Amino acid sequence: MADTLLSIRDLRLEGRAERGWVPILKGVDLDLKRGEVLGLIGESGAGKSTLGLAAMGYVRDGTRFAGGSVTFDGRDLLKLSPRERRRLRGNRIAYVAQSAAASFNPAHRLIDQYSEGPVIHGVMSKAQAEADARELYAKMRLPDPDRIGFRYPHQVSGGQLQRAMTAMAMASRPDLIVFDEPTTALDVTTQIEVLGAIRDIVAEFDTAAIYITHDLAVVAQMADRIKVIRHGEEVEEAPTREMLAAPREDYTRSLWAVREFRADPAPAPAPDEKPVLSVSHVTASYRTGPAVLQDVTFDIHPGRTLAVVGESGSGKSTAARVITGLLPPDGGEIRLGGEVLPPRLADRSREQLRRVQMIYQMADTALNPRQTLREIVGRPARFYRGLRGRDLDRDIRQLLEDVELDPDEFIDRYPGELSGGQKQRVGILRALAARPDVIICDEVTSALDQIVADGILRLLKRLQVEHGLSYMFITHDIATVRAIADHVVVMQNGHVVEQGPKAEMFAPPHAAYTDLLLSSVPEMDPDWLTRRRGEMRA
Amino acid sequence: MSPIVRMILGRLALGLLSLVLVSLVIFMAVELLPGDIAQEVLGQSATPETVAAFRAELGLDQAAPIRYVHWLGGVLTGDLGNSLATGRDIGSMIVDRFGKTLFLAGYAAAISVPLAVTLGILAALYRNSIFDRIVNVATLSSISFPEYFVAYILILLLSINTPVFPSIADFGRDPSLGDMLYRTFLPAMTLVLVVTAHMMRMTRASIINLMAQPYIEMARLKGVGPARVILRHALPNALAPIINVVALNLAYLITGVVIVEVVFVYPGLGQLMVDSVAKRDITVVQGCCLVFAGIYILLNLLADVLSIATNPQLLHRK
């Protein structure tokens, strides 16, 4: 085919493991025409980022090409010298990374990073590149495009950085851009703007793109064709509408189905039922700066799940810090089972501490890598419940069985020997080992793939029923709220915007902000983004 | 007031406070020295009466807290007092000797800092290569030997076996710069060998630490070559730890030269301090210690300020 830009044939890649090299990509084919957008979808570890980088002839440290070819515009990238490959990167093939905040160099201004590529490749002079940057910043609808480039990355918001990075990738007008989960780290209302800007600029310059994501609804908006990857192999590939309408493979169908999980909602609390935890009129701030919580009030009822929804900066995590005593509030009070909790962690009794436990977003960093599961789970059981010796051992084993981890196999493992989903199960166990009344779950599924996250939600629901637990579920993900919440609190800028039972919250009329949040969640319909942006302009 | 100026003033105030605390520690430590100058000067045969009279003349008969307050008062007004042994003004004694010490430290720093940073960058660029290993082994061995050993080895090689450089670093009045550099070459080399390893290894480690950052991968994916990745993308972000370790070593070059000055009979501040300890000339010892402490505090303050000045996140607020 004359207009084929990129052609990958039987690409095999290996990664270094404890025992020699293990395959990561096991013979993948991929074709891309000029101006075409291919969506690459799969769970983490499926090899989709590796494949995206391989399309640039790039492998990360600890991985290597093991065979096959990557033909870009008639030349096999794997046969080129490192210098020749460098000449193509940032010039004819560009890359947009997942976290713009981490991928911009903190030491340099945005515009200097923009012009670096075109200047070292001799495409433009520094002055030309700077003039060009302003133009592209404007096209990406960045505020104040003439001056924003003279800021440092930390002075610009995440959504703006992601657009600045797309502009930077466009700097040399490449033939191909690899987008590696460019909106995964963004709030939904920001994501919709970035998606729109990316789609427009790719269309305007007729740039071909590989769009990597784990979010089906997002890929449905962006791609002409979708390729599903699993365990380093292709599952299936089809034009977007065809794939959405009629996925052929079971695995693809299971990806579709996970968004369908709905826990049975618990019955609404009786009017005279006492809440297990109540937050009333809480105002809080960090040492320097304005109030981050203003007059926040909500109740958590026994055996129910309260979802606290909001975007980053809305104060939802601060609310958790106030409840746990990490951040004493400036005003208001917190009651646990009717008694007022001392504001400071140090003033709370062990029994009060036991009753409120926490599960964190990043199980990776929340678990001590030098402790075995026996120590991690055993510590709260010993500290709060005084278990010792054989009783303690029996309890730890029982807990591991509770979350479907075989005690004989796992009890002496370290967190490093677990998968992401297994680590989060241990995070749940550690909270459960204290036999708490309330567990605060802070974005516990955000870092997980949809299928794994789905498993965690089901597990949490089952534990709730078995142990009569109450959850405060902090999340920015509306799908998670739909799946698990009984009662919903919507927060924005430290205020509670709206709250009520889930059924009411998802049915109109909404507060304006709730409406914006709900309508910004991507839908599987490929026309959703076009329609939604039309509505927003109207 | 800009936050940087406020920070500098705050640190200066803290530095002064530490200096006062250090002066107390110095005073007490010197008090613990056995014997005193009266016995040292008058010798074994002195009668108790003459010793007491001599002490009274020097003011040593007063209680320690009173002497401390008296001394501190003088220091705060810029008067370090007079030498017990010679009666000379300590301030002028120190200024002369301190100049010599600074010269030697500056000489060693002018060689070792660029050398260490360059070697560190090259080792990071060619990490795990033969070059990297040789540099690491060489610098590590030089740091592992005590400095008097390094000094005597250099003397043996370069002034006894092949007499190129003098083993005594004293120079008369008004020497030319070339002569000074020539005569202090061996002590400067000794110091270079001792401090380079630390700075070089920190430079290498700080840069390599950053190589796993996403912005380094981004730079590579923009087609940036390996040397530019390190110099333009890694080094600016590694400056804070490098500056700190350089400051620490500069402070060491000034305050840690005592042994090297003694070995090479170099008339610097360290030599003055050692002589004064032997003579129980405690006011001079106190003065020297205080100058050393002040240098330490000042250089660390400078490192803090520079670390902030090279960090856009602290320099340019949101």
Side-chain angles (χ1 to χ4, degrees):
Chain A
M1 267 192 300
D3 59 351
T4 296
L5 179 66
L6 176 74
S7 170
I8 293 178
R9 284 287 166 273
D10 191 30
L11 182 65
R12 278 168 285 122
L13 231 128
E14 295 174 337
R16 196 183 295 133
E18 274 171 46
R19 289 179 293 277
W21 294 83
V22 295
I24 296 178
L25 293 181
K26 305 164 186 165
V28 178
D29 294 342
L30 184 153
D31 285 292
L32 194 64
K33 293 192 210 116
R34 286 185 186 280
E36 186 184 32
V37 179
L38 174 74
L40 212 51
I41 196 153
E43 298 170 69
S44 60
K48 52 192 195 304
S49 284
T50 311
L51 179 56
L53 290 170
M56 308 180 72
Y58 182 89
V59 281
R60 290 202 166 124
D61 286 343
T63 51
R64 66 177 186 195
F65 289 112
S69 66
V70 179
T71 310
F72 174 81
D73 201 18
R75 291 199 287 174
D76 186 351
L77 296 184
L78 307 191
K79 296 207 174 83
L80 296 181
S81 71
R83 182 180 292 270
E84 286 170 313
R85 276 200 291 266
R86 274 211 299 280
R87 226 173 273 155
L88 291 172
R89 287 182 202 141
N91 185 8
R92 301 200 49 207
I93 318 175
Y95 180 73
V96 175
Q98 170 169 1
S99 167
S103 296
F104 268 113
N105 193 321
H108 302 297
R109 296 170 198 273
L110 295 183
I111 202 156
D112 294 331
Q113 304 194 45
Y114 179 99
S115 53
E116 183 174 30
V119 169
I120 60 175
H121 293 300
V123 180
M124 295 178 203
S125 71
K126 171 104 176 143
Q128 280 174 323
E130 288 189 359
D132 184 60
R134 294 167 194 205
E135 204 172 300
L136 281 195
Y137 289 154
K139 275 194 202 304
M140 290 303 290
R141 289 187 292 283
L142 281 164
D144 199 3
D146 284 338
R147 273 182 293 170
I148 194 167
F150 295 94
R151 292 170 164 254
Y152 285 94
H154 71 276
Q155 298 173 302
V156 178
S157 77
Q160 292 172 359
L161 274 183
Q162 200 55 267
R163 278 180 275 170
M165 175 160 285
T166 305
M168 181 164 86
M170 277 291 173
S172 303
R173 303 298 184 272
D175 300 305
L176 170 65
I177 298 186
V178 177
F179 290 96
D180 195 352
E181 307 245 13
T183 62
T184 305
L186 304 178
D187 286 319
V188 279
T189 53
T190 316
Q191 164 170 281
I192 193 166
E193 292 166 18
V194 176
L195 288 179
I198 289 178
R199 203 170 69 170
D200 291 347
I201 202 162
V202 166
E204 177 172 347
F205 293 110
D206 200 23
T207 314
I210 294 177
Y211 197 100
I212 299 165
T213 178
H214 66 272
D215 190 332
L216 288 160
V218 165
V219 83
Q221 313 307 318
M222 307 302 283
D224 304 317
R225 270 187 304 142
I226 296 178
K227 186 195 274 293
V228 183
I229 302 274
R230 187 190 195 194
H231 302 324
E233 286 172 300
E234 176 178 322
V235 176
E236 64 175 308
E237 182 186 316
T240 301
R241 283 168 198 279
E242 204 174 295
M243 171 87 76
L244 291 172
R248 288 192 303 272
E249 301 293 323
D250 288 343
Y251 176 70
T252 315
R253 273 195 288 273
S254 76
L255 283 177
W256 268 231
V258 289
R259 301 179 71 91
E260 314 285 301
F261 171 63
R262 296 281 183 277
D264 296 330
D272 57 340
E273 189 192 58
K274 290 264 186 303
V276 58
L277 187 109
S278 75
V279 173
S280 51
H281 306 293
V282 163
T283 302
S285 57
Y286 290 100
R287 198 157 34 135
T288 52
V292 278
L293 288 183
Q294 286 173 22
D295 196 22
V296 168
T297 298
F298 55 76
D299 291 335
I300 303 175
H301 287 273
R304 309 302 201 294
T305 301
L306 174 86
V308 180
V309 204
E311 302 190 52
S312 49
S314 60
K316 53 195 194 304
S317 289
T318 305
R321 291 175 62 86
V322 170
I323 293 172
T324 51
L326 290 172
L327 179 71
D330 300 335
E333 63 177 26
I334 307 199
R335 286 172 179 272
L336 180 63
E339 81 183 290
V340 177
L341 276 180
R344 283 156 40 83
L345 184 66
D347 300 333
R348 295 187 183 178
S349 70
R350 189 176 290 199
E351 179 64 9
Q352 287 168 332
L353 294 178
R354 179 189 67 76
R355 295 175 64 190
V356 181
Q357 294 291 313
M358 185 135 184
I359 310 173
Y360 300 85
Q361 174 174 6
M362 304 301 290
D364 263 331
T365 50
L367 301 179
N368 187 334
R370 304 264 172 163
Q371 291 186 343
T372 61
L373 300 201
R374 186 196 295 277
E375 293 168 288
I376 292 172
V377 178
R379 200 260 174 190
R382 207 170 54 234
F383 179 76
Y384 291 117
R385 294 159 53 217
L387 295 183
R388 295 284 185 277
R390 204 167 294 167
D391 288 343
L392 182 63
D393 187 69
R394 197 179 310 125
D395 197 70
I396 298 170
R397 284 171 180 277
Q398 181 58 49
L399 282 163
L400 284 170
E401 272 171 29
D402 256 5
V403 298
E404 295 140 37
L405 294 174
D406 179 7
D408 293 326
E409 194 185 337
F410 284 94
I411 195 162
D412 288 316
R413 283 208 195 176
Y414 290 92
E417 299 168 285
L418 304 178
S419 72
Q422 286 169 342
K423 277 183 216 167
Q424 197 53 289
R425 276 164 202 263
V426 175
I428 294 171
L429 273 193
R430 183 174 55 181
L432 199 61
R435 294 285 185 275
D437 299 332
V438 179
I439 298 184
I440 300 174
C441 306
D442 191 356
E443 301 274 11
V444 290
T445 55
S446 316
L448 303 172
D449 287 313
Q450 285 175 15
I451 292 180
V452 180
D454 186 62
I456 294 288
L457 290 184
R458 286 170 200 269
L459 172 69
L460 283 170
K461 187 65 203 172
R462 177 166 65 74
L463 293 174
Q464 177 169 47
V465 173
E466 286 173 11
H467 297 267
L469 294 166
S470 307
Y471 293 139
M472 171 175 162
F473 218 94
I474 297 169
T475 182
H476 69 274
D477 181 29
I478 307 292
T480 307
V481 179
R482 275 185 210 274
I484 199 159
D486 297 311
H487 196 88
V488 182
V489 170
V490 181
M491 290 190 67
Q492 182 190 22
N493 300 333
H495 294 273
V496 172
V497 179
E498 200 177 8
Q499 61 176 307
K502 178 169 71 171
E504 276 177 30
M505 295 297 287
F506 280 105
H510 309 293
Y513 179 70
T514 312
D515 196 50
L516 176 67
L517 264 190
L518 289 176
S519 60
S520 299
V521 179
E523 291 167 16
M524 295 292 269
D525 174 4
D527 298 321
W528 169 81
L529 182 61
T530 316
R531 200 176 61 233
R532 181 72 202 112
R533 291 174 78 207
E535 288 166 10
M536 283 167 72
R537 279 200 206 101
Chain B
M1 199 164 30
S2 87
I4 298 249
V5 175
R6 198 172 331 147
M7 194 232 29
I8 294 177
L9 290 180
R11 292 288 166 90
L12 269 178
L14 269 180
L16 272 179
L17 182 66
S18 338
L19 211 52
V20 170
L21 290 176
V22 167
S23 74
L24 186 62
V25 173
I26 292 171
F27 187 84
M28 292 195 301
V30 171
E31 280 297 301
L32 292 177
L33 283 176
D36 74 356
I37 183 150
Q39 285 171 338
E40 206 63 34
V41 167
L42 298 174
Q44 299 274 325
S45 56
T47 62
E49 289 77 24
T50 41
V51 171
F54 193 64
R55 278 186 183 155
E57 191 192 323
L58 294 174
L60 291 176
D61 55 340
Q62 286 168 316
I66 294 174
R67 276 182 289 133
Y68 173 69
V69 171
H70 190 72
W71 176 61
L72 189 66
V75 169
L76 291 178
T77 54
D79 176 18
L80 287 171
N82 293 326
S83 159
L84 295 179
T86 65
R88 283 180 58 200
D89 174 45
I90 296 176
S92 63
M93 284 167 80
I94 286 183
V95 165
D96 177 45
R97 296 299 197 97
F98 189 50
K100 296 236 170 46
T101 293
L102 276 186
F103 172 77
L104 183 57
Y107 189 2
I111 299 174
S112 61
V113 173
L115 181 72
V117 173
T118 310
L119 284 179
I121 291 171
L122 288 174
L125 183 57
Y126 301 110
R127 64 183 175 285
N128 302 330
S129 69
I130 295 291
F131 170 79
D132 183 21
R133 271 165 222 191
I134 291 174
V135 169
N136 266 305
V137 168
T139 49
L140 255 191
S141 354
S142 73
I143 206 178
S144 314
F145 296 121
E147 45 203 321
Y148 58 82
F149 180 75
V150 175
Y152 284 126
I153 291 289
L154 284 181
I155 290 178
L156 181 68
L157 292 178
L158 293 177
S159 91
I160 296 176
N161 288 1
T162 26
V164 189
F165 294 100
S167 66
I168 292 183
D170 196 7
F171 35 79
R173 295 197 172 277
D174 300 323
S176 69
L177 180 65
D179 197 37
M180 284 166 77
L181 291 178
Y182 170 70
R183 290 191 171 273
T184 53
F185 182 76
L186 288 187
M189 269 309 110
T190 309
L191 290 172
V192 166
L193 284 174
V194 171
V195 297
T196 301
H198 192 195
M199 292 187 283
M200 173 262 157
R201 290 173 67 80
M202 185 53 110
T203 305
R204 177 183 182 274
S206 313
I207 290 177
I208 288 179
N209 237 339
L210 294 174
M211 295 310 278
Q213 291 291 326
Y215 59 81
I216 296 294
E217 177 166 88
M218 189 70 217
R220 290 184 175 144
L221 290 170
K222 275 158 71 178
V224 176
R228 192 179 157 91
V229 163
I230 288 197
L231 290 176
R232 179 152 171 90
H233 290 274
L235 189 59
N237 293 293
L239 281 180
I242 296 176
I243 288 171
N244 269 302
V245 76
V246 167
L248 197 67
N249 279 287
L250 288 184
Y252 178 79
L253 281 179
I254 296 170
T255 61
V257 288
V258 178
I259 291 171
V260 173
E261 286 186 1
V262 172
V263 170
F264 290 97
V265 204
Y266 183 76
L269 199 55
Q271 179 93 52
L272 174 65
M273 191 165 89
V274 171
D275 290 347
S276 303
V277 169
K279 284 190 281 184
R280 300 293 182 274
D281 194 347
I282 55 173
T283 47
V284 177
V285 175
Q286 286 166 359
C288 293
C289 286
L290 206 58
V291 170
F292 283 147
I295 288 293
Y296 234 98
I297 291 172
L298 209 60
L299 279 170
N300 277 302
L301 171 74
L302 190 67
D304 282 356
V305 173
L306 281 178
S307 303
I308 288 172
T310 54
N311 185 341
Q313 299 196 35
L314 298 173
L315 205 57
H316 303 267
R317 294 279 159 191
K318 288 201 172 192

